[in-house]
Structures are given as structure tokens and as C-alpha cells.
Amino acid sequence: MNLTLRPATPTDADFLFNVLKITMREYVEPLLGPWEDAHHRQRFDATFNPADTQVIVVDGKDAGFLVVERPPHETFLSKIMLLPAHQGRGIGADLVRDLIAESHAAGKPVRLRVLKGNPAKSLYERLGFVVIEEHDVRYIMRCDPPT
């Protein structure tokens, strides 16, 4: 398997929104009600920043995306989403491990949000994340650098 990342461009927006819809709809609906494309597309468009977004490419085909924000005090994993055909193959785990290593080398924790009911929470726990806050629909998790 050949795994690469490429910078996202504005022309990727339709693909990225489709990945978001395919991967998150089943977790969003039990918490927030029926998925409404127009509402979620508006939210996506309002927050889509190509500068923070990388397209995950597997064997030459776009397979998902990664959004990472890097404020001075931490690394924030905003989104990591893979199309179902690419899930369960270790791709997401490898990308998150790399992000943790990079952030910890700089002495920074990695923080993320995960919706309740999303099985990705178990992956994050295996990778060293712990819940630091619980809200109505999501957990806030952090992986601190070793001391």
C-alpha cells in the first residue's frame, strides 16, 4: 500500500464534503437528528481551510482527508476521515501516530474531539489519548507528551 498526503485545494471541497457525509452521518444522526445536506454543507464550507487540510491518497486514489491546526501551545487534530473501503487497514492509526510523534517532539500535546458513539474513540484510547472533557454529544481527548 502506498500512502501519501497532498495539500487540499478549493477544488477538493466537493470530495471532502462527500467523505464527511459518508463517514459521519451514522454518528451525527443519533445525536443531532436527521442529516440535512444543506445545513452540513454550509457548516463545512464556513470552516474549510485548505491550508490546514491534507487529502489522504492511497495507491494513487483520494481516500479521505486530515485537518490539523497548529496553534502555539498544542496540535489540534480537527478531522481525520477515511472512506469506508480504507477503514480498518491501519491508515488512520499510522497517520495519528505520526502526528503524535511530531507534536511530542516539539513538546506539545495533541488534542481532538470525537462524537459519542463513534468507534474511533477506542482507536484514540489505544494510541494514548484520554478524555479530558465530556459534553452532550462529544468527548474532548488529549495525548500529552511523555514527561
Side-chain angles (χ1 to χ4, degrees), residues 17 21 25 34-44:
F17 177 74
K21 179 179 175 178
R25 184 177 189 157
W35 182 276
E36 296 177 17
D37 271 353
H39 168 76
H40 288 285
R41 182 60 192 248
Q42 182 181 25
R43 288 187 65 198
F44 174 84

Side-chain angles (χ1 to χ4, degrees), residues 58-115:
V58 178
D59 296 330
K61 296 186 180 186
D62 293 347
F65 68 102
L66 177 70
V67 180
V68 179
E69 299 169 17
R70 292 178 169 85
H73 63 286
E74 69 179 3
T75 301
F76 180 62
L77 175 55
S78 178
K79 293 178 183 65
I80 181 167
M81 301 191 182
L82 284 163
L83 290 169
H86 300 285
Q87 294 175 6
R89 298 173 56 193
I91 296 167
D94 286 348
L95 291 170
V96 175
R97 274 190 207 100
D98 290 348
L99 185 64
I100 291 169
E102 171 194 319
S103 188
H104 287 184
K108 298 178 187 180
V110 180
R111 188 173 57 90
L112 59 82
R113 297 181 302 241
V114 61
L115 286 176

Side-chain angles (χ1 to χ4, degrees), residues 121-135:
K121 181 178 181 273
S122 297
L123 167 66
Y124 300 140
E125 289 170 335
R126 286 194 308 273
L127 295 175
F129 285 85
V130 295
V131 173
I132 59 168
E133 295 178 38
E134 181 177 347
H135 299 273

